[in-house]
Amino acid sequence: MGALSGRTLVLAGTRAWFFANSSKNGGLRLPAFFRLGFVICILLLAVVLLILVSAEWNQSWKSSQKARAAAALSAEFGVLGVPWCKAKEGSAVPWTREELVQGLQEFVPVYKKRPIKNNAFGMGFDHSFGLWFLARQVKPLLLIESGAFKGHSTWVMRQARPETPIISISPRHPEKYLKKGPAYVDRNTRYFAGKQFVDFGSVKWNKVLEEAGVQDRSRILVFFDDHQSQLKRIKQARDAGFQHLVFEDNYDTGTGDHYSLRQICDQLHIEGGGHNCDPESEEARTRQYRSKKWEKAMDSSQLCGGGGEWWGVRGEMRDNFNHSNAPISHQQHLHNGRLVESMLQLYWELPPVAGPSLTKQNRYDPARSSRPLVGDGDRALFRKLGLHSLEKRVFNGYTQMAYVRLLSSS
């Protein structure tokens, strides 16, 4: 019962009782104790009415507070800059945000059938969706992955391309994980893993592709989730003649165990790029506040080296799971950025699937991310897409997955 209908009931009841118990000259015929009882009833009804009004006001207040909080979170996206690599065609991908949202609705029931329910230290929902969506968009004749772990990414690609052959490169064969728990091994996949492992950069691609019956290298999609320097991998992919690349762990500046495209393209001449290490700067104050709220957010003392080196990870170019690191000058970093730009036809980062007020994630900092596909506060769409039915932990692995199309080397 709403406040209006409750108030109407009280007034109507009072009026009806009064006229029914009034004499012609307006005097009440009932004894005093009846009149006292009536007053008590009226007071009780008034209390009920006040409770109803208060409940409605409280609900309205909570809704407005949630709306304000969602609007505040939405306004945070990108405030510390989102440096995207400069490319010949920019980020003009042939798909729209609407198609991405539609893809989410299709992918949720697929994801629920995954054989590895808890893919700790592997891809979460956001990047699983990104890989699935990109594999369907590119429509490759062959899929190559470098870094398979337990086989979740292989499974995702198989759902996107049921008949497409896959080449999987990984130091440890996914079947080894079957001894300890769920893993996935694909029947239509050629594995360079375990004792047959060969690093991506050392594979004799002419021979392997001839055996696979694939000649058109522009119709091959390569997925990297191997925690190697992405500068090294993009050079190797170009030299091998591959054009469509996906990088899973595209770590932000100052984080991660390898030199990523996001780090390489975080340059002073890029919109949203470059950093100010002055502890009194506006960036430093903003970072100090945000580092207390978001797990992956860094304050300036964490971002910058002792000499003000902010590029890479405090002036280091990391590689091989953080086992092979080398300091680089800012001039070298700038050169690396220019080199990557010269190879790119297109660069695009997958947006987060939904805002943190919906997913409850607290790792990546929205201030360094593009706008999510489902905005904070859009609970209706979040439920419509089925995202509310997923475990909250699967949304905690977003690291700016990047899709790259290289310029033809011919």
Side-chain angles (χ1 to χ4, degrees):
M1 180 185 296
L4 182 59
S5 58
R7 190 183 301 112
T8 303
L9 180 62
V10 172
L11 293 174
T14 305
R15 191 179 295 111
W17 184 92
F18 180 83
F19 283 111
N21 294 282
S22 297
S23 63
K24 291 182 179 179
N25 61 5
L28 293 176
R29 298 181 304 201
L30 295 178
F33 66 86
F34 277 103
R35 294 198 297 274
L36 178 61
F38 170 71
V39 171
I40 292 173
C41 288
I42 293 298
L43 289 174
L44 288 173
L45 285 171
V47 169
V48 171
L49 177 62
L50 286 172
I51 291 173
L52 290 171
V53 171
S54 177
E56 283 197 357
W57 181 87
N58 189 49
Q59 184 62 37
S60 175
W61 181 82
K62 286 183 177 180
S63 297
S64 65
Q65 286 293 98
K66 287 181 179 179
R68 280 195 288 269
L73 273 174
S74 296
E76 292 181 4
F77 278 92
V79 296
L80 281 175
V82 184
W84 279 29
C85 297
K86 292 180 69 175
K88 183 177 181 181
E89 294 184 9
S91 58
V93 289
W95 52 83
T96 64
R97 290 183 70 89
E98 289 72 23
E99 289 174 308
L100 283 161
V101 171
Q102 177 60 39
L104 276 174
Q105 192 164 24
E106 294 179 48
F107 182 66
V108 168
V110 174
Y111 185 74
K112 287 183 176 180
K113 297 176 183 177
R114 67 197 185 279
I116 307 168
K117 299 299 184 185
N118 184 8
N119 194 35
F121 307 108
M123 283 198 303
F125 179 81
D126 294 62
H127 290 187
S128 298
F129 165 68
L131 178 58
W132 175 85
F133 184 86
L134 288 165
R136 283 164 50 110
Q137 288 289 324
V138 176
K139 298 179 175 62
L141 300 176
L142 175 69
L143 289 153
I144 300 171
E145 66 172 342
S146 180
F149 192 29
K150 297 179 182 179
H152 174 75
S153 54
T154 317
W155 178 84
V156 169
M157 291 190 291
R158 178 57 65 224
Q159 307 316 299
R161 302 290 294 173
E163 305 300 328
T164 302
I166 298 173
I167 292 175
S168 182
I169 304 168
S170 202
R172 189 176 186 183
H173 201 295
E175 66 183 5
K176 295 295 183 181
Y177 294 97
L178 287 169
K179 298 176 181 179
K180 297 182 179 180
Y184 178 78
V185 179
D186 188 76
R187 293 181 179 179
N188 191 23
T189 292
R190 180 178 181 182
Y191 287 93
F192 290 89
K195 293 181 180 180
Q196 283 74 47
F197 171 70
V198 181
D199 183 74
F200 175 86
S202 300
V203 174
K204 298 184 184 304
W205 287 113
N206 289 339
K207 182 175 183 294
V208 170
L209 296 180
E210 182 180 353
E211 293 171 350
V214 178
Q215 295 181 346
D216 188 354
R217 301 192 186 193
S218 68
R219 297 290 306 281
I220 296 173
L221 177 65
V222 186
F223 172 62
F224 292 103
D225 187 11
D226 54 12
H227 296 257
Q228 303 297 301
S229 165
Q230 291 175 4
L231 177 63
K232 174 176 70 179
R233 288 305 194 214
I234 205 169
K235 289 178 181 178
Q236 292 169 345
R238 177 200 58 183
D239 292 344
F242 301 132
Q243 291 182 255
H244 297 278
L245 316 177
V246 179
F247 292 92
E248 200 266 327
D249 286 311
N250 187 25
Y251 291 119
D252 197 7
T253 297
T255 68
D257 55 12
H258 59 265
Y259 197 39
S260 68
L261 287 178
R262 167 64 82 93
Q263 293 174 10
I264 294 167
C265 297
D266 194 351
Q267 302 279 352
L268 292 170
H269 67 275
I270 297 287
E271 183 179 356
H275 300 277
N276 188 341
C277 290
D278 182 350
E280 300 301 320
S281 66
E282 182 64 29
E283 178 178 354
R285 288 192 292 270
T286 302
R287 283 185 171 278
Q288 184 176 21
Y289 163 75
R290 303 194 67 79
S291 65
K292 300 173 183 178
K293 186 176 181 181
W294 306 99
E295 186 179 327
K296 293 293 184 180
M298 308 185 75
D299 64 29
S300 291
S301 65
Q302 296 169 312
L303 176 72
C304 302
E309 304 91 349
W310 53 261
W311 49 93
V313 179
R314 290 179 290 283
E316 281 190 344
M317 182 171 61
R318 292 186 170 180
D319 192 10
N320 192 26
F321 287 90
N322 199 23
H323 294 311
S324 176
N325 305 329
I328 56 171
S329 67
H330 184 261
Q331 190 61 33
Q332 289 173 307
H333 176 65
L334 177 60
H335 171 77
N336 293 337
R338 295 295 192 191
L339 177 62
V340 168
E341 288 175 13
S342 71
M343 293 189 282
L344 297 182
Q345 183 174 351
L346 185 148
Y347 178 88
W348 179 79
E349 288 183 7
L350 173 78
V353 297
S357 71
L358 301 172
T359 62
K360 308 304 180 187
Q361 81 83 27
N362 62 353
R363 295 193 73 199
Y364 79 85
D365 185 1
R368 292 285 289 174
S369 173
S370 53
R371 184 167 56 94
L373 297 175
V374 182
D376 280 294
D378 199 346
R379 296 183 182 277
L381 180 57
F382 190 72
R383 293 187 67 85
K384 178 183 176 182
L385 298 177
L387 296 169
H388 70 290
S389 63
L390 300 176
E391 306 93 328
K392 299 305 178 188
R393 59 181 165 79
V394 305
F395 295 109
N396 246 358
Y398 177 75
T399 50
Q400 298 87 223
M401 173 184 271
Y403 165 68
V404 166
R405 189 161 74 238
L406 299 182
L407 292 164
S408 174
S409 57
S410 59

